Amino acid sequence: MAAAFAAEFLARAKEKAPVIVETVKAYCPGACADGSGPGGPSEGSGLRSGTEMSNFQNYTEEGGYAETSLTNGARLERQGSSVEIDEFGGKGNEQIDEWQAGWNVTNAIQGMFIVSLPYSVQQGGYWGVFALVFVAYICCHTGKILVECLYEYNDRGELVRVRDSYVSIAKVCLGSKWGSRCVHFAQVTELLMTCILYIVLCGNLMVGSFPESTIDQRSWMMIFTMVLLPCAFLRDLRSVSMLSFWCTMTHLFINVIILGYCLLCAGDWGWSKVSWSINMDKFPVTMGIVVFSYTSQIFLPSLEGNMVDRSKFHCMLNWSHIAAAAFKAIFAWMCFLTWTDQTEEVITNNLPTRGFKIVVNLILVAKALFSYPLPYFAAAALLEHQYFRERPKTIFPSCYYIDGELRVWGLAARIALVLSTMLLAVSIPYFALLMGLIGSFTGTMLSFIWPCYFHMKLKWNQMNHQQICWEVFIIVFGGFSGIIGIYTSFAGLVEAYHLPMPPIPVLNEA
Amino acid sequence: MKMSRSSVLLLIAIACISSAGAFRQPVVFPPLDASKYEDASAHELPEQRIIATDSAVPEENHEHADDRPATAPHEELPRSNETRGEPIALAQRSSTIRIKAPEHSLAVWNSDGTICILARFQATFEIPYATASGKKYASIKMPPNRELATRGVCPTESREPLFEVQWPLFKFIMHFARIHSPSSWYVNKIEVQYNTNSPLFPGALNPGRRYASATQNISLFKTPMGQSYGCPLYPPLVLTHQNSSSEIRVKLRDIRLQAYQLTGNYGPLSRCQQVAMAHTLDPYNYDRTVPVAVGSTLAGVSLATIVGYALYRSMFATKVDYGNIR
């Protein structure tokens, strides 16, 4: 009886195999390059040879490529300020290709908290590794549906890009006044918090590397702010993409160095230490790091809008998330195998010699500096779009001269933005907790709840039950992570004000 | 005679406190039978000899004496040793005015009211304990300062300092030592004493007092003499129990510590090499020369950038315009 059933099952499976393979292929990342991917707007075809992964192996070529694109970007003529500027300042003739978009997404989702991921595996065992992959899958999905919300079918059944930004989707779904303001505020907050985080991290890493030097943490932060001042001149997404590319390279470099060390210790790996048990006290906190390390949705509408070939957007998004998930999961897992119970909250503290620590810390500083321009540029462009587009549209005049160059006060405002991120970095006490508190809220909304809600609101008629269930699940999952994040950060903040620490270190007596 | 007098005092104090409803419940610890705790501790603490106090003045001298109102734990706990051993260090009856400790810091005072040990840190203890269903872990956090009592021994020529912080059912002790060349100090012993007869150890087998320490050639927090040690995130310390192999892991963070040559406040910072992500509470040096210099440079560079761009614009843009006109 059972044998007969099994035989029948096998036969059916064989019958269905080609169909399954086709379905799998259709959902595979590479497929969308041919325009046959699920759901994606399809125009044009063909993918640059190789994938992002293969690209990691011969990056010098890509580096040259990225540089060329910057030079081109700089030479591009700016024809008057009347050109319609989109949310992130991109203009019609300054488009980026899928690789450049990919670098930016990678910059956003392979964040600085990679060094904390092994700790999440220590707290959550295999669940931590699973979470790293699973959250990547969810975030990739919400990114896609968010971009889908930009498109509507016209009378002839063609997909047309009718909206150009997150805010414009919010205008339709949440109301044009408060809804869009909410989203705009959340975006700017999230982006500026990220900028502040990078400066704080530079200070942390430097003061940890050179504790004896007379330069203290806030001085390090100010020193690196000088390095970041040229960001005020950033005008187009291409230069930002190039910086994001170098950010990815430094990230790769860190991976190579640390994983190389881990492999040297492969003989002593503690295989049995990875468990299925979860430390329920700590796991929610580390889960927060995992969840909010994948948030790139904020950039996606603009990146997609600025892509030369938008049909490759899905492909780019898939591969960047696959790469991020693979790198993060393998990195976290291997580091945990190497250090097992000794794994520290910041993995560089585990490295054996002082010189090694300093080298890795310095590379991380470089990574933070390369990461800064993307959120900074996006925040500046969002603010510009909202407040600086001449009188009738917005309250302030344009930051640009008629020939398209920055006005002097425009530059001053942008430099002030860089300086204000620095000032907040040196003056906010308990920044990690504050970031956790605010970031959990904005991150949850921007990355999980809003994309799904907007998608369901706009595309309800085109969705089947399965999709609806899945997106409801994402909303619940995101909401749950957000609540945990807010709760733990809030508890931490409440506790912090009874801590044996000064409330505002900067205001210490001289 | 003395002993009985203080016992009576103790009982009266407890009676008054509990009848007035003033027994302040610590956040993490449930109320407990204080007298029982006293009894249990009186005979088992290994380090009583050193932290013995003057039996005639049981309450006022050795606890954390900043401006906070005295609470039940403050009053009761330090007396666990009150009648034991010989007074060695902090047995002063003097009513000298103590120098106020820096905010959020725990302190130990000399007889003349000056501070001799300053410390602030957060501690988390991962403590394994046996239950009927196998080994379990209790995670215990050091409560806020107001619920702590501190005592210690000030350094003298002949004696090394000791710092003790305690709260109901728990005691954390650091022993210091110094080296003369190069002149520096460090922590050479760490101890934890606790009682598993508490709701924090649900289902513990053989509940009672436990003692664990790290003594094997440890030299933690090594710092030049006259300076303070600071660290945002210290790697977990492993303490072993006296007669079992189980290990306690102590995680210390946001540490600032100094036990020698204090002048009312922490000395210059000697920082560890650990990195803490997004940690903005790194104890800054009080010397502001470098930050001010760097800050002014940054302001100068920013201004120079703007002025430079303005000059460039005024020259370059004009030229372009003329070119266009022609």
Side-chain angles (χ1 to χ4, degrees), chain A residues 41-191:
Chain A
S42 50
E43 19 170 312
S45 64
L47 171 71
R48 280 174 60 89
S49 61
T51 62
E52 195 170 50
M53 301 294 273
S54 72
N55 187 69
F56 282 136
Q57 277 126 41
N58 48 18
Y59 63 86
T60 37
E61 183 201 329
E62 274 309 313
Y65 169 74
E67 263 174 347
T68 331
S69 72
L70 169 76
T71 343
N72 289 345
R75 280 198 206 113
L76 280 170
E77 296 196 359
R78 299 191 172 85
Q79 301 290 335
S81 59
S82 58
V83 174
E84 195 52 44
I85 300 167
D86 89 341
E87 192 182 32
F88 285 3
K91 295 180 201 112
N93 54 356
E94 285 173 11
Q95 290 185 324
I96 53 173
D97 65 16
E98 65 277 10
W99 287 101
Q100 290 166 317
W103 303 134
N104 287 325
V105 173
T106 305
N107 179 349
I109 62 178
Q110 304 238 35
M112 295 295 293
F113 277 97
I114 177 163
V115 289
S116 298
L117 296 178
Y119 189 67
S120 70
V121 176
Q122 191 196 16
Q123 304 301 328
Y126 282 113
W127 291 107
V129 179
F130 172 74
L132 282 167
V133 177
F134 182 65
V135 175
Y137 182 73
I138 288 185
C139 284
C140 190
H141 180 78
T142 55
K144 283 183 202 164
I145 58 175
L146 182 69
V147 166
E148 233 177 282
C149 292
L150 301 169
Y151 289 85
E152 292 286 353
Y153 284 102
N154 66 6
D155 301 340
R156 285 171 297 185
E158 295 160 339
L159 268 180
V160 185
R161 202 169 191 271
V162 292
R163 302 176 192 102
D164 67 342
S165 63
Y166 211 137
V167 171
S168 60
I169 302 172
K171 269 183 189 164
V172 179
C173 299
L174 293 176
S176 61
K177 198 172 181 193
W178 289 105
S180 65
R181 272 185 200 176
C182 257
V183 173
H184 181 258
F185 181 75
Q187 279 182 302
V188 173
T189 312
E190 172 105 357
L191 291 167

Side-chain angles (χ1 to χ4, degrees), chain A residues 205-226:
Chain A
L205 290 160
M206 290 311 287
V207 82
S209 303
F210 305 104
E212 306 90 0
S213 81
T214 51
I215 305 173
D216 66 0
Q217 190 171 321
R218 59 189 154 172
S219 306
W220 281 120
M221 293 186 201
M222 289 190 275
I223 289 171
F224 286 112
T225 312
M226 284 186 224

Side-chain angles (χ1 to χ4, degrees), chain A residues 357-375:
Chain A
K357 275 182 203 171
I358 292 180
V359 167
V360 174
N361 284 347
L362 289 179
I363 302 170
L364 280 168
V365 168
K367 179 170 158 59
L369 294 176
F370 282 127
S371 299
Y372 182 90
L374 176 67

Side-chain angles (χ1 to χ4, degrees), chain B residues 49 59 66 82-83 103 116 125 149 195 202 249 267 278 280 313:
Chain B
R49 194 175 37 75
E59 290 185 16
D66 58 9
E82 63 190 351
T83 57
E103 212 183 354
C116 70
F125 304 85
N195 197 325
R249 295 166 75 80
T280 36
R313 268 301 298 182

Side-chain angles (χ1 to χ4, degrees), chain A residues 330-389:
Chain A
I330 292 171
F331 183 85
W333 182 61
M334 276 174 66
C335 285
F336 176 72
L337 282 177
T338 307
W339 284 287
T340 60
D341 291 339
Q342 303 296 317
T343 307
E344 289 188 40
E345 281 169 55
V346 180
I347 200 71
T348 52
N349 292 341
N350 275 114
L351 296 174
T353 64
R354 181 152 184 228
F356 197 2
K357 275 182 203 171
I358 292 180
V359 167
V360 174
N361 284 347
L362 289 179
I363 302 170
L364 280 168
V365 168
K367 179 170 158 59
L369 294 176
F370 282 127
S371 299
Y372 182 90
L374 176 67
Y376 169 79
F377 177 75
L382 276 171
L383 290 172
E384 215 170 81
H385 188 75
Q386 190 82 352
Y387 301 112
F388 297 93
R389 284 188 303 160

Side-chain angles (χ1 to χ4, degrees), chain A residues 119 204 208 211 217 341 345 349 354 401 403 405-406 422 428 430-431 495 498-501 506 508, chain B residues 104 120-121 141 146 235 249 251 253 271 273 275-282 288 291 298 309 313:
Chain A
Y119 189 67
N204 292 152
Q217 190 171 321
D341 291 339
E345 281 169 55
N349 292 341
R354 181 152 184 228
Y401 287 117
D403 63 357
E405 291 287 332
L406 260 179
M422 181 275 293
I428 296 179
Y430 308 110
F431 180 73
E495 190 182 307
H498 303 292
L499 284 182
M501 292 300 291
V506 178
N508 271 347
Chain B
H104 305 291
R120 65 182 187 217
F121 54 87
K141 227 174 183 181
R146 62 172 185 277
R249 295 166 75 80
K251 257 192 188 172
R253 42 171 71 228
R271 193 193 184 278
Q273 288 173 25
V275 170
M277 298 294 268
H279 187 275
T280 36
L281 281 171
D282 216 57
R288 282 187 161 180
L298 174 59
Y309 182 71
R313 268 301 298 182

